[in-house]
Each structure stands twice: as C-alpha cells, then as structure tokens.
Amino acid sequence: MLVAAAVCPCPPLLVPEVASGAAHELDSARAACTDAIGVLAAARPDLLVVVGPAGPEGDGRHPQGARGSFRDFGVDLDVSLGPRPEASAPDRELPPSLAVAGWLLGRTGWSAAPVEGLGVGETLTAERCVQAGRDLAARADRVALLVMGDASACRTVKAPGYLDERAAGFDAEIARALATADVAALRALDENLARELKAAGRAPWQVLAGAAESATPSGELLHEDAPYGVGYLVAAWS
C-alpha cells in the first residue's frame, strides 16, 4: 500500500556539477526536493520505488545500487540508486531521470528502506501507467514512491519546445492536482497534450495515480517554477 510519495523534477541541471555557474538558480528546487524526500523517510516505508521517464519505450526495473552517470552532460560524476549492496549490481545504466533521483537520495543520505527503480516509457498509455502503479503499491505493506518528471517544456520562447500558450494552464492544473493529491485529475491527464507540450512527467504522474488509488493521501506543493521555460514542480503526499 502506498504510504507516501514525493514528486520531483528530473533535469540534470538539478545536479550542481552539471549546472556549473548557474547552479544557484535551482537552489530552491533542490531544497524542496530534500524536504519531499524527508517526508518519504518519515513514513517509515518497507520499500522505496523511484519512478521516472526513460525515453519512448521505457527500460523497466533497476535494482538497488544500479549505477548512473552524468558523463553525457560533460561531468565525470557517478551515482547509484540508493546504497550499493555487497553483491554487484547489473551493468545496465540508469536513465537520466533515475540518475538524478540517485543523486538526490545520495545527497540526503537515504537509508530508510530498500530502493529500486522503474523507468517508464513516455508514450505508455494512461491505462498501463495506472496498472503499473497499482502493481507497485502491492509490492509491500508500506510502499513509498519518488516520482521524477518535468512539466511542460513550452513556457517561454527560449524553452526547449518554444512557447505554447497552453503550457501555463497545463502546468497549473498539474500543480493543483499535486497540491491536493487529486488522483482522478492525474489519471485523466491528456496524453496527446502532454506529448505536444513535452511534459516528460505525464507517465510517472499517472503511475503515482494508480499507486494511490487505494490510499487517501494528503498533498502539499513545495515548489513551483519554470526558470528555463520548463515547469519544475515538487510535491509531497503522505
């Protein structure tokens, strides 16, 4: 059963070494992510599952200790998904979203529960996302989710997807749903609109919706901004 969830953005720029001279611009987002992960630890879960976008097809499950890196972003920095076990983890590398999650967990010294990751396809249908969430919630008596994903990438003319007038309203509805733990609103997100607005968090958010169906969480929005024309949202459910 889901007992807590944290929702965080997943740009590699969240890692100061990647952001370099612009690192301070995301200080408030990093602080909010730390607070959200603190909510997960306080819930005393038996299992933490990190869910994040992993390209069009997704790449499935990653065990605790799976490695990731930021070499593709010009930084010689390795991370792991939670503490590395004594047995070596498979060589398959984490997708960027889960590597950012690994960095966040390492930064906060996560040790509250075993960790595993799930890379979901950004084109996965809402129905399959919701079912994946239900399955995750049934994995243990007390399951926590760390849900990685960005909102629209079309908030300004300099955004990756250029300016789309629909983006601000789309992000505002996501922020409202996360702030109020509105499971039905997340489940009903328009897949086509999310794709057009380059909202990579759509599928992970709908996994969260499925996981929370049998729970009655309360939500809190901890951070909302779009510093590079991309919506970054941080929320905690408990």
Side-chain angles (χ1 to χ4, degrees):
M1 178 178 177
L2 184 76
V3 294
V7 176
C8 295
C10 59
L13 288 173
L14 206 60
V15 178
E17 291 88 341
V18 176
S20 189
H24 67 281
E25 296 176 4
L26 293 181
D27 281 347
S28 59
R30 292 184 196 99
C33 290
T34 297
D35 290 343
I37 291 173
V39 171
L40 300 183
R44 295 174 286 106
D46 300 319
L47 173 68
L48 172 65
V49 183
V50 182
V51 182
E57 302 301 323
D59 68 352
R61 292 184 178 178
H62 295 266
Q64 178 164 315
R67 293 184 181 274
S69 82
F70 295 94
R71 290 188 178 87
D72 288 346
F73 303 96
V75 175
D76 186 13
L77 175 64
D78 295 325
V79 295
S80 65
L81 193 65
R84 288 187 61 76
E86 291 184 8
S88 60
D91 292 335
R92 189 162 62 97
E93 189 163 286
L94 296 170
S97 66
L98 298 189
V100 172
W103 178 82
L104 285 171
L105 292 173
R107 180 175 187 255
T108 58
W110 178 268
S111 61
V115 184
E116 64 180 53
L118 177 65
V120 296
E122 294 173 41
T123 59
L124 199 66
T125 65
E127 181 180 357
R128 291 182 63 190
C129 289
V130 168
Q131 185 57 53
R134 292 175 185 141
D135 293 343
L136 290 180
R139 292 285 310 282
D141 289 340
R142 300 181 64 81
V143 175
L145 295 186
L146 172 53
V147 182
M148 309 297 293
D150 301 338
S152 72
C154 300
R155 293 281 292 272
T156 68
V157 295
K158 293 185 178 181
Y162 196 67
L163 175 65
D164 190 312
E165 299 294 345
R166 302 171 295 175
F170 177 87
D171 288 358
E173 173 58 15
I174 298 298
R176 185 203 64 78
L178 293 177
T180 59
D182 189 337
V183 171
L186 293 181
R187 191 171 53 236
L189 287 174
D190 187 321
E191 299 169 48
N192 292 327
L193 178 58
R195 183 174 60 254
E196 291 170 6
L197 296 178
K198 302 183 183 302
R202 189 277 304 174
W205 297 329
Q206 290 187 317
V207 172
L208 170 59
E213 276 186 344
S214 60
T216 54
S218 59
E220 182 180 5
L221 188 68
L222 304 178
H223 179 80
E224 178 182 9
D225 201 2
Y228 310 115
V230 181
Y232 296 155
L233 301 167
V234 181
W237 289 13
S238 61

